[in-house]
């Protein structure tokens, strides 16, 4: 018998049931009351404490606040004419972060705007490379019909931002490219340095190179703002309020805009530089490097094929040759040498016999011709190497290096927007530091005629010429009204300067090496000096052999002869003899300064044979290049063209090691090791 079977069930009375129900009801009521209290507290907190926050968020959903990119300040020439300005613009940007189908959206935009396949491919790549909310420009300079065609399709084009505003414009394009620089969108690195939302505002551009970059703070201006009422889908209902932007400050330069454009066009099909200095103030009137790029094509981001065309050009259009191109100055330093020789006791009337060269021990240095008996003035006129070798060997090369530095060679000038390379004025100490080798007499002879280790940029040659012309220690300047004080007096007597001036006068107006460059102007005469800088040892000098092996052509000059006002330096890469390539360009630029109509007539005739202006030739070349290349996938342009694009280009000009800031001195010319050398 099991005990469990006899256990009785508990008795449940009505009172027990009532008590149990009451307890459960109380627990449920308490729980519901607590939840209600929490909900009421939360509602009260949101309605009272967080009222301002959610009111703002609600307002932000209804109202869209956007920045208006400020108009950049203009860059003006000395007469107030714009070298860089702004123009009204219809533009379309995309924000990749907001795009649901980047590939499809860009393709649709391309079809709407009638873009070619190459341009669409470039936009695809820029969208793929964009970071976060960084906007990407699709097209600018649109007509109103194109702009409207995009606007009506916005509901289907997520991330597309049509813009009405202003874009940067360079009226003379390539003529000012290296001097002014260009603008572009801020990249990720620039945004990390300065988390300014303006940097990722569609349509906003910053200076990337040249004066645009140097004066970014002054040119940028203050952004405006726009408040518009929008629907939940983002469609604009009405404009509520607009605060106008404040345009940036203008920057006025010493540059003469029409002269800058003329000099750039006059270089023509050559590769080189022209620098013009006002001999009264030191102001730079023109600083030209050609060929160049069109800065207008960089404003919206340069395409791959255009970048490829520029980067592969053997004339190196991405290099600012006027301040970063280094060249042996050749015989353009001979006037400087005559001043140094006179200071150290050499009489300008002393004669040296030139039999065609100079014997140094067992080595023979060959002159260009048999000049016979020459004095100092004739040595400049005929560019007689034998005279300078003889005199420099007598007094020692040590007298020339200090004079070269006094006149501006080897110097870096305080100029905004110019990353200069200052070249080499060699000395025995320099050679020992650089190569761990002793200085030789042959080194001195080479350097005395601007060969061997000597390197200078065109701006330095123009400064040297202005100081020789005036006898004043002029300092070059680029900002109008910021007149530089003249440096310490130069150590020349008027008589010493006159000897040098007479020799340079006879170069152009006598039977010298540049008689073909004589000015055809009433009452105005020019003095100058040619230079033909040897690039490598050739069987024949000047124009023979392939382009890259030809000599550099140089010419320096000043005018008027009796009251110098302008000094000019022209360097033409691989142009052959100085009298053939550089001197005619200098003559025409000098003519423009005194008789612009006459110079322009000459230029127009030349451009007919060259195929038009630089802009016209560049457009045709690009179209041809596109036809040859198709829409293949060339490497993209680097993000910062002002830095990385020039490294390889500069190494092809003056021996700079890629990735290194140190300049590698070119291999000395053959004469440094005893082989014959010549220079005119």
């Amino acid at each position: 018998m099991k005990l469990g079977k006899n256990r009785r069930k508990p008795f449940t009375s009505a009172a027990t049931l009532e008590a149990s129900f009451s307890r459960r009801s109380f627990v449920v009521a308490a729980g519901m009351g607590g939840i209600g209290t929490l909900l009421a507290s939360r509602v009260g907190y949101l309605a009272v404490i967080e009222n301002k926050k959610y009111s703002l968020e609600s307002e932000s959903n209804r109202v869209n606040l956007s920045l208006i990119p400020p108009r950049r300040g203009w860059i003006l020439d000395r007469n107030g004419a714009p070298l860089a300005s702004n123009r009204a613009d219809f533009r379309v940007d995309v924000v990749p972060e907001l795009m649901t189908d980047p590939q499809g959206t860009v393709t649709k935009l391309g079809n709407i705007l009638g873009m070619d396949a190459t341009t669409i491919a470039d936009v695809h790549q820029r969208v793929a490379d964009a970071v976060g909310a960084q906007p990407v420009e699709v097209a600018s300079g649109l007509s109103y019909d194109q702009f409207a065609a995009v606007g009506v399709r916005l509901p289907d084009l997520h991330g597309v931002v049509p813009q009405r505003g202003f874009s940067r414009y360079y009226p003379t394009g390539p003529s000012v490219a290296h001097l002014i620089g260009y603008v572009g969108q801020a990249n990720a690195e620039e945004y990390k340095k300065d988390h300014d939302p303006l940097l990722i505002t569609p349509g906003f551009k910053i200076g990337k190179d040249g004066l645009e970059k140097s004066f970014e703070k002054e040119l940028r201006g203050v952004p405006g703002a726009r408040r518009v009422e929008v629907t939940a889908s983002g469609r604009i209902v009405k404009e509520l309020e607009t605060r106008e932007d404040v345009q940036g400050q203008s920057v006025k330069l010493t540059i003469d805009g029409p002269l800058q454009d003329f000099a750039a066009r006059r270089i023509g099909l050559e590769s080189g530089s022209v620098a013009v200095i006002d001999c009264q103030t030191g102001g730079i009137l023109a600083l030209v490097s050609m060929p160049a790029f069109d800065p207008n094509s960089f404003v919206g981001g340069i395409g791959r094929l255009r970048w490829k065309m520029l980067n592969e050009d053997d004339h190196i259009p991405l290099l600012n040759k006027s301040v970063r191109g280094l060249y042996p100055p050749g015989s353009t330093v001979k006037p400087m040498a005559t001043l140094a020789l006179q200071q150290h006791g050499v009489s300008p009337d002393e004669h040296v016999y030139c039999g065609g060269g100079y014997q140094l021990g067992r080595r023979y240095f060959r002159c260009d011709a048999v000049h016979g008996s020459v004095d100092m003035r004739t040595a400049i006129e005929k560019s007689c190497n034998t005279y300078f070798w003889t005199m420099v060997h007598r007094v020692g090369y040590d007298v020339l290096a200090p004079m070269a530095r006094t006149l501006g060679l080897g110097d870096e000038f305080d100029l905004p927007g110019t990353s200069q390379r200052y070249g080499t004025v060699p000395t025995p100490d320099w050679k020992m530091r650089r190569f761990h080798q002793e200085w030789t007499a042959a080194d001195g002879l080479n350097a005395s005629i601007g060969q061997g280790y000597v390197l200078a940029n065109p701006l330095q040659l123009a400064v040297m010429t202005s100081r020789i012309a005036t006898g004043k220690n002029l300092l070059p300047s680029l900002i109008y009204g910021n007149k530089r004080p003249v440096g310490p007096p130069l150590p020349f007597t008027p008589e010493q300067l006159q000897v040098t001036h007479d020799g340079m006068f006879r170069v152009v107006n006598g039977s010298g090496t540049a008689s073909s460059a004589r000015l055809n102007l009433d009452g105005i005469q020019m003095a100058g000096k040619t230079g033909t800088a040897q690039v490598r040892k050739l069987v024949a000098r000047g124009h023979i052999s392939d382009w890259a092996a030809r000599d550099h052509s140089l010419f320096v000059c000043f005018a008027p002869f009796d009251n110098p006002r302008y000094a000019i330096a022209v360097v033409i890469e691989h142009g052959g003899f100085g009298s053939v390539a550089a001197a005619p360009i200098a003559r025409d630029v000098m003519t423009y300064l005194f008789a612009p109509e006459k110079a322009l007539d000459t230029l127009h005739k030349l451009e007919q044979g060259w195929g038009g202006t630089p802009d016209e030739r560049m457009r045709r070349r690009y179209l041809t290049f596109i036809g040859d290349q198709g829409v293949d996938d060339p490497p993209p342009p680097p993000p910062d063209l002002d830095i990385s694009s020039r490294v390889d280009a500069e190494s092809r000009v003056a021996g700079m090691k890629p990735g290194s800031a140190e300049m590698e001195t070119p291999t000395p010319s053959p004469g440094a090791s005893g082989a014959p050398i010549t220079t005119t």
Side-chain angles (χ1 to χ4, degrees), residues 337-507:
T338 62
L339 292 171
L341 292 173
Q342 289 181 81
Q343 278 197 322
H344 288 79
V346 175
S347 169
D349 299 321
E350 181 179 351
H351 282 67
V352 169
Y353 181 77
C354 172
Y358 184 75
Q359 189 76 40
L360 179 67
R362 292 180 297 174
R363 303 175 181 178
Y364 189 72
F365 290 77
R366 190 180 304 282
C367 194
D368 273 342
V370 177
H371 295 112
S373 180
V374 297
D375 61 6
M376 189 174 287
R377 294 176 177 84
T378 306
I380 297 176
E381 177 185 11
K382 301 294 186 182
S383 198
C384 179
N385 294 335
T386 302
Y387 176 89
F388 291 95
W389 287 329
T390 301
M391 292 302 185
V392 170
H393 192 213
R394 180 202 297 178
V395 302
Y397 170 74
D398 290 345
V399 308
L400 294 188
M403 181 59 67
R405 292 194 174 276
T406 296
L407 295 180
L409 300 189
D411 200 358
E412 184 175 10
F413 306 109
D414 182 17
L415 299 172
T418 58
S419 177
Q420 303 164 51
R421 298 175 68 207
Y422 45 84
T424 306
V425 176
T427 62
D429 290 342
W430 171 86
K431 186 180 180 184
M432 180 57 67
R433 290 195 310 270
R434 186 68 183 82
F435 296 109
H436 306 291
Q437 296 176 2
E438 295 289 342
W439 186 265
T440 67
D443 292 330
L445 297 192
N446 279 330
S448 69
I449 60 169
Q451 291 281 171
Y453 297 110
V454 186
L455 290 173
N457 65 47
L459 176 61
Q460 291 171 339
L461 295 178
V463 172
M464 176 190 74
T465 307
S466 71
R467 293 179 181 179
I468 291 174
T470 63
K472 299 177 182 178
N473 197 352
L474 294 172
L475 296 175
S477 61
L478 261 176
I479 305 304
Y480 189 82
N482 185 20
K483 187 176 180 180
R484 298 288 178 82
V486 177
L490 297 176
F492 315 132
T493 66
E495 293 76 20
Q496 290 170 342
L497 281 172
Q498 192 61 49
V499 170
T500 301
H501 289 183
D502 289 344
M504 296 177 72
F505 177 83
R506 288 157 60 172
V507 168

Side-chain angles (χ1 to χ4, degrees), residues 179-222:
L179 175 66
I180 303 299
Y182 60 93
V183 297
Q185 291 178 346
N187 56 39
E189 289 73 22
E190 289 161 336
Y191 181 69
K192 288 177 183 177
K193 293 178 183 177
D194 180 11
H195 288 277
D196 186 343
L198 181 61
L199 296 180
I200 56 173
T201 299
F204 179 70
K205 308 292 171 61
I206 64 172
K208 291 285 190 175
D209 198 11
L211 294 172
E212 290 278 25
K213 182 177 182 179
S214 182
F215 286 100
E216 172 63 26
K217 182 178 179 181
E218 292 80 2
L219 295 169
R220 178 177 292 191
V222 180

Side-chain angles (χ1 to χ4, degrees), residues 15 18 34 158 160 213 215 246 283 298 336 387 424 443 493 600 655:
E18 184 178 357
H158 298 287
V160 176
K213 182 177 182 179
F215 286 100
V246 178
F298 279 61
M336 175 272 295
Y387 176 89
T424 306
D443 292 330
T493 66
L600 284 170

Side-chain angles (χ1 to χ4, degrees), residues 512-517 530-532 553-555 576-585 680:
T513 53
S515 57
S516 61
T530 56
T532 306
S553 175
L554 302 94
F555 188 74
F577 291 116
S579 59
V580 173
I585 293 174
T680 58

